[in-house]
Structures are given as C-alpha cells and as structure tokens.
Amino acid sequence: MKKIFTLFAVAAMALSASAQEVETWSAGGEVSNNVVTLPSITATFLDNTSKGSTAGAGTWSFGATDVRGDQNGLEIKFAPTKNGKLEIIFAAAIANNKSINMFVNDDTENKMDATLKDGTKITSGVNLKDQTPAINEIPKDEGVSYDLKAGNTYNFYAGGTKWRLASFSYTISADQSSISDIVVEDAPVEYFNLQGIRVANPENGLFIKRQGNKVTKVIM
C-alpha cells in the first residue's frame, strides 16, 4: 500500500494553490533596455518602427510617476509565462476620441477587447465615444484589464495619443497550481472541505476531490 498524505496536508496545499499571486510594476520601478521583467510576465516598450511610422523610431521616457512615449500609439508587448489577468493603469485620462487596442501574436487582425473596472467591455480599435454604450473617458489612475494565456504575446497601445502608463499588474490564475498528482490509495470518489471534513453533497465552494490515486481541488 502506498503511503498517502494526510487530508490536512492536502487541504493546506489546496489553500496555497487557490491563492492568487499578484505581480506589480509601477513607474519608477526597475527597467532594463526598455524591458520590465516580472516572474510571470515581461513587458517590452516598443517604438513605432513595427508600424512603418514615418516619424522615425519613437522613444519612451521612464519617469518616477509615469512612462510616456513621444509619439502617438507607442506599444507595449506583454509576454506571459502563466495564465492570468493583466491590468493596465493610466497616468493620464484617455479622451473619448481615442481608442484602446490589443492584438495577439503580432497579428493586428487578431484583436482582443478590454474590460473596464465596472465590467464594461471596450472593443479594440474603436474610439471610446463610438463604443456601445459610449464611454466619456477613462480617468487618470484607472485602466483596463485582459485575460492572457501563457505562450502568447500581446501588443497594447492607446491609439491617437501619447498615452501615459502609471503601472501594470498581473494576477496569476488560480488554476496554475495543481495538486492532481498526489498519490493516494484506491478509493471511491469522496469530497472534503478545506478543513478536511468529508462532505456528502458539495456545493457553492472549493472542495477537495479524492478518487483512486488522484486528489484534485474542484469548485462546485
């Protein structure tokens, strides 16, 4: 018979796995050669040469309170190594005649819509005033968010403006940690709460599922 972890240990691991890690970078933070490196995502501040800009290569200025470009629509390319939610915070308001843009894997036709903090969706490439419903502006110190997938790249910019970045954060998805390979004895399906108490009819929460030689965390 194989020795198994105690249910207490399994519950503790589930708690750890379900905790979402947040990685944050703010203006004034460490940057090297226009690249910000966090444990689970990198951000590369690009010039406009990739767009065939006739104004020459744009440059970013990294200040203590904001990061700003000297041309309209300079991009940041994000490359996550884990699934998660990216939140971008602006250091200056985005007016309603400007657009929010994100495209995936260097394909400008593969667009990705943004989400405001109140849940409102923003269609990529469409001016804020032409959204449905229309958006007056995105205020200073507010921003947009995106759900990103590991292994993809994501180019972000605000169109028609020398937009200014205050910070960005990346919240790692809870499903990035797994306890599915814990060795247990053969057994029928059983459910337990995070305190290790067996639950006959689990619902409305996070539970430990034990079956055969696997233990997983499940949301019911």
Side-chain angles (χ1 to χ4, degrees), residues 132-191:
T132 304
I135 298 169
N136 182 47
E137 69 171 9
I138 302 176
K140 175 185 177 181
D141 297 326
E142 294 189 15
V144 294
S145 63
Y146 299 88
D147 291 321
L148 307 188
K149 297 294 185 183
N152 291 335
T153 60
Y154 301 85
N155 285 47
F156 173 85
Y157 65 99
T161 180
K162 297 180 179 72
W163 67 283
R164 294 158 57 186
L165 173 73
S167 65
F168 69 88
S169 63
Y170 196 60
T171 303
I172 311 305
S173 297
D175 63 1
Q176 295 300 284
S177 298
S178 174
I179 58 173
S180 61
D181 294 327
I182 298 173
V183 178
V184 299
E185 299 178 23
D186 291 341
V189 176
E190 297 175 286
Y191 293 95

Side-chain angles (χ1 to χ4, degrees), residues 87-104:
E87 184 174 19
I88 297 166
I89 302 298
F90 300 112
I94 304 296
N96 68 0
N97 63 339
K98 311 303 179 185
S99 63
I100 299 299
N101 302 263
M102 179 79 93
F103 59 90
V104 185

Side-chain angles (χ1 to χ4, degrees), residues 75 101-113 123-125 153-155 157:
E75 300 173 7
N101 302 263
M102 179 79 93
F103 59 90
V104 185
N105 292 334
D106 297 319
D107 180 358
T108 56
E109 298 303 315
N110 187 5
K111 299 179 180 180
M112 188 174 186
D113 295 342
T123 301
S124 180
T153 60
Y154 301 85
N155 285 47
Y157 65 99

Side-chain angles (χ1 to χ4, degrees), residues 61-136:
S61 297
F62 293 85
T65 59
D66 68 13
V67 182
R68 64 182 73 183
D70 66 352
Q71 291 185 19
N72 289 346
L74 289 185
E75 300 173 7
I76 303 176
K77 175 176 282 190
F78 294 95
T81 58
K82 293 182 179 180
N83 297 346
K85 175 178 282 188
L86 172 68
E87 184 174 19
I88 297 166
I89 302 298
F90 300 112
I94 304 296
N96 68 0
N97 63 339
K98 311 303 179 185
S99 63
I100 299 299
N101 302 263
M102 179 79 93
F103 59 90
V104 185
N105 292 334
D106 297 319
D107 180 358
T108 56
E109 298 303 315
N110 187 5
K111 299 179 180 180
M112 188 174 186
D113 295 342
T115 304
L116 294 175
K117 68 176 184 178
D118 64 0
T120 299
K121 297 294 184 180
I122 299 179
T123 301
S124 180
V126 177
N127 287 346
L128 297 181
K129 65 182 180 180
D130 298 321
Q131 300 283 332
T132 304
I135 298 169
N136 182 47

